[in-house]
Amino acid sequence: MAWTTALMIDPSAADDPRDDFAATFTVIDPAAPALSVGELSTQRGDGIFESIGVVDGHPQEATAHLERLAHSARICDLPAPNLSQWRQAIAEAAAACGPGESVIKLILSRGVEHGPAPTAWVTAAPASDFTAARRDGVRVVTLDRGYALDLPSRAPWLLLGAKTLSYAVNMAAIREAKRRGADDAVFVTSDGFVLEAPTASLILRRGDTFVTPAANGGILQGTTQLSLFTHLEQQGFATAYETIPVDQLATADAAWLVSSVRLAAPITAVDGTPLAVDAELTASANRYLLSPRD
């Protein structure tokens, strides 16, 4: 991915009342060095981020992403972000995006080791082409996430449910899925319940009801899943959040991985077992997800 825009942010306090934060932004060359060697985002993955899909210059679900950024900051004991400042930064990055699909990334790091303040920046780049995944679907394998369903309530220091920069495990899971002949993975708990994919939320269809795993397993609340549930409800479908046993994954009427940039990718097989694909519903969902959404 070739970044085309980069904006360093001098983070303002959450209660800063100003209505223009332009003076806190510094446009930099995205190809030039910009971070200190003491930066904790690179040394320890100690920070949080968001990826926002952009369609024809419109940042999708910016409010939901900002709310999740604030939620992750609370979990990680980071200073609360000034959402007005970040919203203005998103608008500036989006204005630099061309037609078609792009992606904006928001990064909030704990900063330089022993430093006085967090580090923050925003980048923008053309999105990868996910036409094939949306049309043809993805094969998934289930991978043990290594903890039981009740662990998040017993060990909040594991930061489950926060979108942290520590994505090495997520990337390793995708590599393992490809070694097994699949395209992606679905994490499951050690006691047999479905969680999420490394970079996407999971939605299952049972008749006219669409379900996603409940958040009690420490999963990341998906902004695209939330938006799609609202759309489905408007179409007359029922939606639900449930604790889903792993054996129900392969018996669903249909299933999708959904995320902010790839959007809705139908699951075509689970651990080698074929799964039916609802091509018409998938196309309808992606038309909605590509429409301007706030």
Side-chain angles (χ1 to χ4, degrees):
M1 183 179 294
W3 301 107
T4 57
T5 301
L7 195 69
M8 297 301 297
I9 300 175
D10 181 10
S12 296
D15 59 356
D16 188 328
R18 79 182 91 175
D19 53 16
D20 185 358
F21 291 90
T24 67
F25 304 150
T26 302
V27 178
I28 63 171
D29 179 353
L35 298 177
S36 164
V37 293
E39 171 61 41
L40 292 174
S41 62
T42 56
Q43 285 197 16
R44 299 176 183 169
D46 194 356
I48 57 177
F49 78 102
E50 286 289 323
S51 296
I52 302 176
V54 181
V55 179
D56 294 329
H58 180 82
Q60 304 282 61
E61 301 289 348
T63 297
H65 283 283
L66 287 171
E67 289 173 349
R68 194 168 65 180
L69 185 76
H71 175 71
S72 294
R74 286 192 297 272
I75 293 175
C76 296
D77 294 323
L78 286 164
N82 184 303
L83 299 189
S84 295
Q85 181 186 35
W86 284 89
R87 188 181 297 276
Q88 186 174 339
I90 292 169
E92 186 164 327
C97 294
E101 296 181 53
S102 304
V103 57
I104 289 174
K105 287 203 172 184
L106 318 179
I107 301 96
L108 176 61
S109 156
R110 202 168 301 277
V112 177
E113 190 164 20
H114 309 305
T119 308
W121 66 99
V122 171
T123 59
S128 300
D129 184 359
F130 289 110
T131 303
R134 297 169 189 168
R135 181 191 64 231
D136 303 330
V138 292
R139 301 158 297 170
V140 304
V141 293
T142 54
L143 296 179
D144 191 339
R145 191 64 176 85
Y147 62 79
L149 189 67
D150 67 343
L151 182 66
S153 63
R154 293 188 289 108
W157 52 87
L158 295 180
L159 308 182
L160 301 171
K163 195 171 179 69
T164 74
L165 292 169
S166 302
Y167 254 48
V169 169
N170 303 60
M171 298 300 99
I174 292 174
R175 292 194 299 272
E176 178 61 23
K178 292 180 177 180
R179 277 192 287 268
R180 298 186 186 194
D183 305 297
D184 211 329
V186 171
F187 286 130
V188 299
T189 65
S190 56
D191 48 352
F193 296 97
V194 176
L195 293 170
E196 58 190 342
T199 62
S201 302
L202 174 70
I203 295 177
L204 308 182
R205 180 175 187 175
R206 299 189 195 127
D208 287 337
T209 299
F210 292 80
V211 300
T212 195
N216 62 325
I219 64 175
L220 189 71
Q221 182 71 71
T223 58
T224 306
Q225 171 265 310
L226 284 168
S227 183
L228 191 52
F229 266 25
T230 298
H231 175 67
L232 290 167
E233 289 161 5
Q234 292 171 345
Q235 306 305 306
F237 294 105
T239 63
Y241 296 81
E242 298 181 3
T243 299
I244 304 171
V246 66
D247 59 6
Q248 292 185 12
L249 180 54
T251 61
D253 293 327
W256 295 264
L257 297 184
V258 299
S259 56
S260 297
V261 183
R262 184 169 55 182
L263 304 184
I267 295 176
T268 61
V270 178
D271 292 330
T273 300
L275 196 63
V277 171
D278 189 329
E280 183 177 350
L281 183 61
T282 299
S284 174
N286 280 317
R287 283 194 297 271
Y288 163 72
L289 294 173
L290 285 167
S291 66
R293 294 177 290 118
D294 294 317

